[in-house]
Amino acid sequence: MRRRTLLLALLLPLALVGCNDKQAANIPPPHRMTAEDIGHYCGMNVLEHPGPKGHIFAASLIQPVWFSSVRDAIAFTMLPDEPKDILAIYVSDMGKAPDWDKPSADNWIEARKALFVIESRVKSGMGGDEAVPFSDRAAAERFASENGGRIVGFDEVPRDYVLASANAGGAAPDEASEGAPGDGARRTP
């Protein structure tokens, strides 16, 4: 009996390492944005809007889900009717973007590893509040000092900030509403 217990104790960690390697191998790499990528909530081409974008891979979906704003991508992870089998969440790394109007088609960072500037003066491509992602803290700090706001991690982005409509008085979507995140009054940056 002791020999079997010892053998299990030695083999179990190896089996768990093998599982983690398989899960890591199943994480799809980010896709390059193209003219065919349509925003999940707005139904518009994501390239037609300024500011950071996002796309999410879920095990139950064949293609990635695209978003015209990072705030909408984060909302997707919070809304109860959206898939919960998320494999990867990619957002534009604005520290590597050439500029706000053209954030680049392939400067992605996994959202759960990013820092976000929230509550800044800069608005999303759809006119609402934005969670502006960065891979580098110094770049996030520079952006916040120039545009206001505060820096938070993915799990610290407030639910109310993400699911509330644009600050201009539109109806705030929540778990029970049919409105899409960011569907409040639109403002251009």
Side-chain angles (χ1 to χ4, degrees), residues 19-155:
C19 284
N20 288 338
D21 289 345
K22 288 178 187 172
Q23 285 177 340
N26 289 334
I27 296 174
H31 284 198
R32 181 177 179 81
M33 240 184 327
T34 69
E36 288 78 41
D37 299 324
I38 303 299
H40 182 67
Y41 295 121
C42 69
M44 301 168 75
N45 183 296
V46 295
L47 287 175
E48 293 176 5
H49 303 284
K53 313 291 185 270
H55 63 293
I56 293 178
F57 291 89
S60 59
L61 302 174
I62 296 170
Q63 296 292 323
V65 181
W66 287 91
F67 301 93
S68 297
S69 76
V70 170
R71 184 171 156 237
D72 285 355
I74 296 171
F76 183 91
T77 70
M78 295 177 173
L79 293 170
D81 292 340
E82 300 295 3
K84 298 301 172 216
D85 57 348
I86 294 172
L87 300 171
I89 307 164
Y90 294 108
V91 293
S92 303
D93 182 349
M94 294 306 286
K96 296 178 180 175
D99 68 44
W100 187 262
D101 290 332
K102 303 284 184 197
S104 187
D106 57 7
N107 57 320
W108 303 110
I109 179 172
E110 216 301 333
R112 292 168 284 203
K113 296 178 181 175
L115 296 168
F116 296 88
V117 176
I118 61 171
E119 302 165 353
S120 76
R121 290 182 295 278
V122 178
K123 299 300 174 190
S124 75
M126 296 301 289
D129 293 330
E130 184 60 285
V132 185
F134 295 89
S135 62
D136 178 61
R137 179 167 285 281
E141 289 171 350
R142 259 190 318 277
F143 182 88
S145 72
E146 294 170 7
N147 300 291
R150 62 185 173 108
I151 300 170
V152 298
F154 180 81
D155 292 330

